[in-house]
Amino acid sequence: FNTAVGNVAGTAVTTGIKNTLIGSHAGDAITTGGEHTAVGYSALSAEDTESGSTAVGKSALAVQNGATYNTAVGHSSGAVVTTGSQNTLIGYNAGVKVTTAGYATAIGYASLGSNAAETTGNYNTALGRATMNQVTSGTQNTVAGYVSGAKLTTSSYNTAMGSQSLYYTTTGHSNLAMGYLAMYGEDGATMTGHHNVALGREALKVNTTAFRNVAVGSQSLMANTTGNYNTAVGYGSLTTQSGDANYNTAVGYYAGEE
């Protein structure tokens, strides 16, 4: 009930069944594990007794041992996963630094922790090239769009959709950013603000430490960096407000602007 093609592919199998192993050293440590698919040089080459993983690409899931139901497709995708389970990693170097993290989804070149020392946070979703590529212990983040959430490390509970959205956020948590450059951050600075909502192109664009702001509309609160508890609804509303301006509300096209 097993299929093995390639140098030492599947040579350690004893009672494991329903394995498909294609490529040199593919699944070469499997003994009792079953229902694996490994295609590519050294794909799934350390797993022995667990079951149900799919590794396609050179070194995909290469050191996994003791994990279940992972899917990695792409050169080096999930290459250092050890015991993290139920991950879906698709793309060159997708989830390449994931070790014990589980329940993650990474789709795109170098998405989810490719520049991190180690990724251990659970329940993260990264969609797009280099999205969330520095995350370490941060959990339950969802980002989609070119390099969105690229600097996230230990922060959690963030949602970002749009190219470069939430880009400079490092430890800021519980933020929602939707739109091109929404809550992008200030070049060269780290964004630690939390509980902010930015909806629209460049909304809350240069936020750094500010918290509990709501910006709805393109360029709303665009210059706000440290001001808190502000609400701006409408295109360009409070767009030039900066510094420590707090507790302001503006509704309408360029509301709050002279």
Side-chain angles (χ1 to χ4, degrees):
F1 298 99
N2 295 297
T3 300
V5 179
N7 180 42
V8 302
T11 52
V13 173
T14 54
T15 59
I17 61 172
K18 299 180 181 178
N19 295 294
T20 301
L21 313 170
I22 301 174
S24 178
H25 295 84
D28 59 326
I30 294 172
T31 54
T32 60
E35 300 180 343
H36 291 300
T37 299
V39 179
Y41 176 82
S42 290
L44 203 68
S45 63
E47 185 61 72
D48 51 8
T49 61
E50 295 295 345
S51 301
S53 290
T54 299
V56 179
K58 181 182 182 293
S59 299
L61 296 178
V63 299
Q64 173 184 307
N65 192 9
T68 59
Y69 305 113
N70 287 308
T71 299
V73 179
H75 185 296
S76 299
S77 55
V80 295
V81 170
T82 53
T83 57
S85 295
Q86 298 183 48
N87 297 294
T88 301
L89 313 170
I90 300 175
Y92 179 90
N93 274 356
V96 71
K97 297 297 179 64
V98 171
T99 55
T100 59
Y103 316 103
T105 299
I107 300 176
Y109 172 88
S111 55
L112 195 65
S114 63
N115 287 336
E118 179 182 12
T119 300
T120 59
N122 298 320
Y123 302 103
N124 289 304
T125 299
L127 308 177
R129 186 183 188 279
T131 50
M132 219 189 309
N133 68 349
Q134 295 187 29
V135 69
T136 54
S137 59
T139 67
Q140 299 186 55
N141 297 291
T142 299
V143 302
Y146 171 71
V147 300
S148 60
K151 305 293 185 180
L152 289 175
T153 54
T154 61
S155 56
S156 300
Y157 315 116
N158 294 292
T159 300
M161 296 183 68
S163 176
Q164 300 175 71
S165 55
L166 216 62
Y167 181 83
Y168 277 109
T169 295
T170 54
T171 59
H173 61 89
S174 308
N175 295 294
L176 170 62
M178 298 182 69
Y180 172 70
L181 295 178
M183 223 182 301
Y184 170 81
E186 196 168 18
D187 287 339
T190 56
M191 206 284 273
T192 60
H194 54 87
H195 292 95
N196 295 293
V197 175
L199 305 178
R201 183 180 186 271
E202 298 179 292
L204 267 174
K205 180 182 178 181
V206 294
N207 191 55
T208 54
T209 62
F211 54 87
R212 299 188 189 280
N213 294 290
V214 176
V216 180
S218 292
Q219 299 183 355
S220 54
L221 279 171
M222 184 173 68
N224 192 75
T225 54
T226 59
N228 308 315
Y229 300 102
N230 296 292
T231 300
V233 180
Y235 183 95
S237 54
L238 293 178
T239 190
T240 61
Q241 175 179 298
S242 60
D244 294 327
N246 305 317
Y247 301 101
N248 294 298
T249 300
V251 179
Y253 177 82
Y254 276 107
E257 298 297 307
E258 296 182 354

